[in-house]
Coordinates of all heavy atoms in Angstrom, one line a residue:
Q1096 N -196.5 -18.2 -184.6 CA -195.3 -17.5 -185.2 C -194.3 -18.6 -185.6 O -194.2 -19.6 -184.9 CB -194.7 -16.5 -184.3 CG -195.5 -15.3 -184.0 CD -194.8 -14.3 -183.1 OE1 -193.7 -14.6 -182.7 NE2 -195.5 -13.2 -182.8
Q1097 N -193.6 -18.4 -186.7 CA -192.7 -19.4 -187.2 C -191.3 -18.8 -186.9 O -191.0 -17.7 -187.3 CB -192.9 -19.6 -188.7 CG -192.0 -20.6 -189.2 CD -192.3 -20.9 -190.7 OE1 -193.2 -20.3 -191.3 NE2 -191.5 -21.7 -191.3
F1098 N -190.5 -19.6 -186.2 CA -189.1 -19.2 -185.9 C -188.2 -20.1 -186.8 O -188.3 -21.3 -186.8 CB -188.8 -19.4 -184.5 CG -189.6 -18.5 -183.6 CD1 -190.7 -18.9 -182.9 CD2 -189.2 -17.2 -183.4 CE1 -191.4 -18.1 -182.1 CE2 -189.9 -16.3 -182.6 CZ -191.0 -16.8 -182.0
I1099 N -187.2 -19.5 -187.4 CA -186.3 -20.2 -188.3 C -184.9 -20.0 -187.8 O -184.5 -18.9 -187.6 CB -186.4 -19.7 -189.8 CG1 -187.9 -19.9 -190.3 CG2 -185.4 -20.4 -190.7 CD1 -188.2 -19.3 -191.6
D1100 N -184.1 -21.1 -187.7 CA -182.7 -21.0 -187.4 C -182.0 -20.6 -188.7 O -181.9 -21.4 -189.6 CB -182.2 -22.3 -186.8 CG -180.8 -22.3 -186.4 OD1 -180.2 -21.1 -186.4 OD2 -180.2 -23.3 -186.1
I1101 N -181.5 -19.4 -188.7 CA -180.8 -18.8 -189.9 C -179.6 -19.7 -190.3 O -179.3 -19.8 -191.4 CB -180.5 -17.4 -189.7 CG1 -181.8 -16.5 -189.6 CG2 -179.6 -16.8 -190.9 CD1 -181.6 -15.1 -189.4
G1102 N -179.0 -20.2 -189.3 CA -177.8 -21.1 -189.6 C -178.1 -22.3 -190.4 O -177.2 -22.8 -191.1
Q1103 N -179.3 -22.7 -190.5 CA -179.7 -23.9 -191.3 C -180.1 -23.5 -192.7 O -180.3 -24.4 -193.5 CB -180.8 -24.6 -190.6 CG -180.5 -25.2 -189.3 CD -181.7 -25.9 -188.6 OE1 -182.8 -25.8 -189.1 NE2 -181.4 -26.6 -187.5
L1104 N -180.1 -22.3 -193.0 CA -180.5 -21.9 -194.4 C -179.3 -21.7 -195.3 O -178.2 -21.5 -194.8 CB -181.2 -20.5 -194.3 CG -182.5 -20.4 -193.5 CD1 -182.9 -19.0 -193.5 CD2 -183.5 -21.3 -194.1
S1105 N -179.5 -21.9 -196.6 CA -178.4 -21.6 -197.5 C -178.2 -20.1 -197.6 O -179.1 -19.3 -197.2 CB -178.9 -22.1 -198.9 OG -179.9 -21.4 -199.4
D1106 N -177.0 -19.7 -198.0 CA -176.7 -18.3 -198.1 C -177.7 -17.6 -199.0 O -178.1 -16.4 -198.6 CB -175.3 -18.1 -198.7 CG -174.2 -18.6 -197.7 OD1 -174.5 -18.7 -196.5 OD2 -173.1 -18.8 -198.1
E1107 N -178.1 -18.2 -200.0 CA -179.1 -17.6 -201.0 C -180.4 -17.3 -200.3 O -181.0 -16.3 -200.3 CB -179.2 -18.4 -202.2 CG -180.0 -17.8 -203.3 CD -180.1 -18.7 -204.5 OE1 -179.0 -18.9 -205.2 OE2 -181.2 -19.2 -204.8
K1108 N -180.9 -18.4 -199.6 CA -182.2 -18.3 -198.9 C -182.1 -17.3 -197.7 O -183.0 -16.5 -197.5 CB -182.5 -19.7 -198.4 CG -183.9 -19.8 -197.8 CD -185.0 -19.7 -198.9 CE -186.3 -19.9 -198.3 NZ -187.4 -19.6 -199.3
E1109 N -181.0 -17.3 -197.0 CA -180.8 -16.3 -195.9 C -180.8 -14.9 -196.5 O -181.5 -14.0 -195.9 CB -179.4 -16.6 -195.3 CG -179.1 -15.7 -194.1 CD -177.8 -15.9 -193.4 OE1 -177.2 -17.0 -193.7 OE2 -177.3 -15.1 -192.7
E1110 N -180.2 -14.6 -197.6 CA -180.2 -13.3 -198.2 C -181.6 -12.9 -198.6 O -182.0 -11.8 -198.4 CB -179.2 -13.2 -199.4 CG -178.9 -11.8 -199.8 CD -178.2 -11.0 -198.8 OE1 -177.4 -11.5 -198.0 OE2 -178.4 -9.8 -198.8
E1111 N -182.3 -13.8 -199.2 CA -183.7 -13.6 -199.6 C -184.6 -13.2 -198.4 O -185.4 -12.3 -198.5 CB -184.2 -14.9 -200.3 CG -185.7 -14.8 -200.8 CD -186.2 -16.1 -201.3 OE1 -185.4 -16.9 -201.9 OE2 -187.4 -16.3 -201.2
M1112 N -184.4 -13.9 -197.3 CA -185.2 -13.6 -196.1 C -184.8 -12.3 -195.5 O -185.7 -11.5 -195.1 CB -185.0 -14.7 -195.1 CG -185.7 -16.0 -195.5 SD -185.7 -17.2 -194.1 CE -186.9 -16.4 -193.1
K1113 N -183.6 -11.9 -195.5 CA -183.1 -10.6 -195.0 C -183.8 -9.5 -195.9 O -184.2 -8.5 -195.3 CB -181.6 -10.5 -195.1 CG -180.9 -11.2 -194.0 CD -179.4 -11.1 -194.1 CE -178.7 -11.9 -193.1 NZ -177.2 -11.7 -193.2
L1114 N -183.8 -9.7 -197.2 CA -184.4 -8.7 -198.1 C -185.9 -8.6 -197.8 O -186.4 -7.5 -197.8 CB -184.1 -9.0 -199.6 CG -182.7 -8.7 -200.0 CD1 -182.5 -9.3 -201.5 CD2 -182.4 -7.3 -200.0
K1115 N -186.5 -9.7 -197.7 CA -187.9 -9.7 -197.4 C -188.3 -9.0 -196.1 O -189.2 -8.2 -196.0 CB -188.4 -11.2 -197.3 CG -189.8 -11.4 -197.6 CD -190.1 -12.9 -197.5 CE -191.1 -13.4 -198.6 NZ -191.4 -14.8 -198.4
F1116 N -187.5 -9.2 -195.1 CA -187.6 -8.6 -193.8 C -187.4 -7.1 -193.9 O -188.2 -6.3 -193.4 CB -186.7 -9.2 -192.8 CG -186.7 -8.5 -191.4 CD1 -187.8 -8.8 -190.6 CD2 -185.8 -7.5 -191.1 CE1 -187.8 -8.2 -189.3 CE2 -185.9 -6.9 -189.9 CZ -186.9 -7.2 -189.0
A1117 N -186.4 -6.7 -194.6 CA -186.1 -5.3 -194.8 C -187.2 -4.6 -195.6 O -187.6 -3.5 -195.2 CB -184.7 -5.1 -195.5
K1118 N -187.7 -5.2 -196.6 CA -188.8 -4.6 -197.4 C -190.1 -4.5 -196.6 O -190.8 -3.5 -196.6 CB -189.1 -5.4 -198.7 CG -188.1 -5.3 -199.7 CD -188.5 -6.1 -201.0 CE -187.4 -5.9 -202.0 NZ -187.7 -6.8 -203.2
G1119 N -190.3 -5.5 -195.7 CA -191.5 -5.4 -194.8 C -191.4 -4.3 -193.8 O -192.3 -3.6 -193.6
A1120 N -190.2 -4.1 -193.3 CA -190.0 -3.0 -192.3 C -190.1 -1.7 -193.1 O -190.7 -0.7 -192.5 CB -188.6 -3.1 -191.7
E1121 N -189.6 -1.6 -194.3 CA -189.7 -0.4 -195.1 C -191.1 0.0 -195.4 O -191.5 1.1 -195.2 CB -188.9 -0.6 -196.4 CG -188.7 0.7 -197.2 CD -187.9 0.4 -198.4 OE1 -186.7 0.0 -198.3 OE2 -188.4 0.6 -199.5
L1122 N -191.9 -1.0 -195.7 CA -193.3 -0.8 -196.0 C -194.1 -0.4 -194.8 O -194.9 0.5 -194.8 CB -194.0 -2.0 -196.6 CG -193.6 -2.4 -198.0 CD1 -194.2 -3.7 -198.4 CD2 -194.1 -1.3 -199.0
E1123 N -193.7 -1.0 -193.7 CA -194.3 -0.6 -192.4 C -194.0 0.8 -192.0 O -194.9 1.6 -191.6 CB -193.9 -1.6 -191.3 CG -194.6 -1.4 -190.0 CD -196.1 -1.7 -190.0 OE1 -196.5 -2.6 -190.8 OE2 -196.8 -1.1 -189.3
N1124 N -192.8 1.3 -192.2 CA -192.4 2.7 -192.0 C -193.2 3.6 -192.9 O -193.6 4.7 -192.4 CB -191.0 2.9 -192.2 CG -190.1 2.3 -191.0 OD1 -190.7 2.0 -190.0 ND2 -188.9 2.1 -191.3
K1125 N -193.4 3.3 -194.1 CA -194.2 4.1 -195.0 C -195.6 4.2 -194.6 O -196.2 5.3 -194.7 CB -194.1 3.6 -196.4 CG -192.8 3.8 -197.1 CD -192.8 3.3 -198.5 CE -191.4 3.5 -199.2 NZ -191.4 3.0 -200.5
K1126 N -196.2 3.2 -194.0 CA -197.6 3.2 -193.6 C -197.8 4.1 -192.4 O -198.8 4.8 -192.3 CB -198.1 1.8 -193.2 CG -198.2 0.9 -194.4 CD -198.7 -0.5 -193.9 CE -198.6 -1.5 -195.0 NZ -198.9 -2.9 -194.5
T1127 N -196.8 4.1 -191.5 CA -197.0 4.9 -190.3 C -196.3 6.2 -190.3 O -196.5 7.0 -189.4 CB -196.3 4.1 -189.1 OG1 -195.0 3.9 -189.4 CG2 -197.0 2.8 -188.9
K1128 N -195.7 6.6 -191.4 CA -195.0 7.9 -191.5 C -196.1 9.0 -191.5 O -197.0 9.0 -192.2 CB -194.2 8.0 -192.8 CG -193.4 9.3 -192.8 CD -192.5 9.3 -194.0 CE -191.7 10.6 -194.0 NZ -190.8 10.7 -195.1
S1129 N -195.9 9.9 -190.6 CA -196.9 11.0 -190.4 C -196.6 12.1 -191.4 O -195.5 12.5 -191.6 CB -196.7 11.5 -189.0 OG -197.5 12.7 -188.8
V1130 N -197.7 12.7 -191.9 CA -197.5 13.8 -192.8 C -197.2 15.0 -191.9 O -196.3 15.8 -192.2 CB -198.8 14.1 -193.5 CG1 -198.7 15.4 -194.3 CG2 -199.2 13.0 -194.4
G1131 N -197.8 15.1 -190.7 CA -197.5 16.0 -189.7 C -197.6 17.5 -190.0 O -197.9 17.9 -191.1
G1132 N -197.5 18.3 -189.0 CA -197.5 19.7 -189.2 C -198.9 20.3 -189.1 O -199.9 19.6 -189.2
R1133 N -198.9 21.6 -188.9 CA -200.2 22.3 -188.9 C -200.7 22.6 -190.3 O -199.9 22.9 -191.1 CB -199.9 23.6 -188.1 CG -201.1 24.6 -188.1 CD -200.7 25.9 -187.5 NE -200.8 25.7 -186.0 CZ -200.6 26.7 -185.2 NH1 -200.2 27.9 -185.6 NH2 -200.7 26.5 -183.9
P1134 N -202.0 22.5 -190.5 CA -202.5 22.8 -191.8 C -202.2 24.3 -192.2 O -202.2 25.1 -191.3 CB -204.0 22.6 -191.7 CG -204.3 22.0 -190.3 CD -203.0 22.1 -189.5
K1135 N -202.1 24.5 -193.4 CA -201.8 25.9 -193.9 C -203.0 26.8 -193.7 O -204.2 26.3 -193.8 CB -201.5 25.9 -195.4 CG -200.2 25.1 -195.7 CD -199.0 25.9 -195.4 CE -197.8 25.1 -195.8 NZ -196.6 25.6 -195.3
K1136 N -202.8 28.0 -193.3 CA -203.9 29.0 -193.1 C -204.4 29.4 -194.5 O -203.6 29.5 -195.4 CB -203.4 30.2 -192.3 CG -203.1 29.9 -190.9 CD -202.8 31.2 -190.2 CE -202.5 31.0 -188.7 NZ -202.3 32.2 -188.0
Q1137 N -205.7 29.7 -194.6 CA -206.2 30.1 -195.9 C -205.7 31.5 -196.2 O -205.4 31.8 -197.3 CB -207.7 30.2 -195.8 CG -208.4 28.8 -195.7 CD -209.9 28.9 -195.6 OE1 -210.4 30.0 -195.4 NE2 -210.5 27.8 -195.8
R1138 N -205.5 32.3 -195.2 CA -205.1 33.7 -195.4 C -204.0 34.0 -194.3 O -204.3 34.1 -193.1 CB -206.3 34.5 -195.3 CG -206.2 36.0 -195.3 CD -207.6 36.6 -195.1 NE -207.7 36.8 -193.7 CZ -208.6 37.6 -193.1 NH1 -209.5 38.2 -193.9 NH2 -208.7 37.8 -191.8
K1139 N -202.8 34.2 -194.7 CA -201.7 34.5 -193.8 C -201.6 36.0 -193.5 O -201.6 36.8 -194.4 CB -200.4 34.0 -194.4 CG -199.2 34.1 -193.5 CD -198.0 33.6 -194.1 CE -196.8 33.9 -193.2 NZ -195.5 33.6 -193.8
A1140 N -201.5 36.3 -192.2 CA -201.3 37.7 -191.8 C -199.9 38.1 -192.1 O -199.0 37.4 -191.7 CB -201.6 37.9 -190.3
E1141 N -199.7 39.2 -192.9 CA -198.4 39.6 -193.3 C -197.9 40.9 -192.7 O -196.7 41.2 -192.7 CB -198.4 39.7 -194.8 CG -198.7 38.4 -195.5 CD -199.0 38.6 -197.0 OE1 -199.3 39.7 -197.4 OE2 -198.9 37.6 -197.8
K1142 N -198.8 41.7 -192.2 CA -198.4 43.0 -191.7 C -198.6 43.1 -190.2 O -199.5 42.5 -189.6 CB -199.2 44.1 -192.4 CG -199.1 44.1 -193.9 CD -197.7 44.4 -194.3 CE -197.6 44.4 -195.8 NZ -196.2 44.5 -196.3
F1143 N -197.8 43.9 -189.6 CA -197.8 44.1 -188.1 C -198.2 45.5 -187.8 O -197.8 46.4 -188.4 CB -196.3 43.9 -187.6 CG -196.2 44.1 -186.1 CD1 -196.6 43.1 -185.2 CD2 -195.6 45.3 -185.7 CE1 -196.4 43.3 -183.9 CE2 -195.5 45.5 -184.3 CZ -195.9 44.5 -183.4

Side-chain angles (χ1 to χ4, degrees):
Q1096 292 184 356
Q1097 184 177 356
F1098 295 99
I1099 299 172
D1100 182 7
I1101 294 178
Q1103 294 177 351
L1104 298 175
S1105 67
D1106 290 340
E1107 188 176 292
K1108 189 69 173 171
E1109 182 180 343
E1110 195 60 35
E1111 180 185 327
M1112 288 190 70
K1113 285 179 183 177
L1114 286 172
K1115 204 179 218 183
F1116 177 78
K1118 284 181 183 177
E1121 187 177 303
L1122 287 175
E1123 188 63 31
N1124 285 342
K1125 285 182 181 177
K1126 289 179 190 174
T1127 59
K1128 186 175 181 180
S1129 173
V1130 175
R1133 174 185 276 184
K1135 298 283 183 193
K1136 290 184 177 183
Q1137 290 179 348
R1138 174 182 91 161
K1139 183 180 175 188
E1141 299 169 338
K1142 301 296 178 189
F1143 177 78

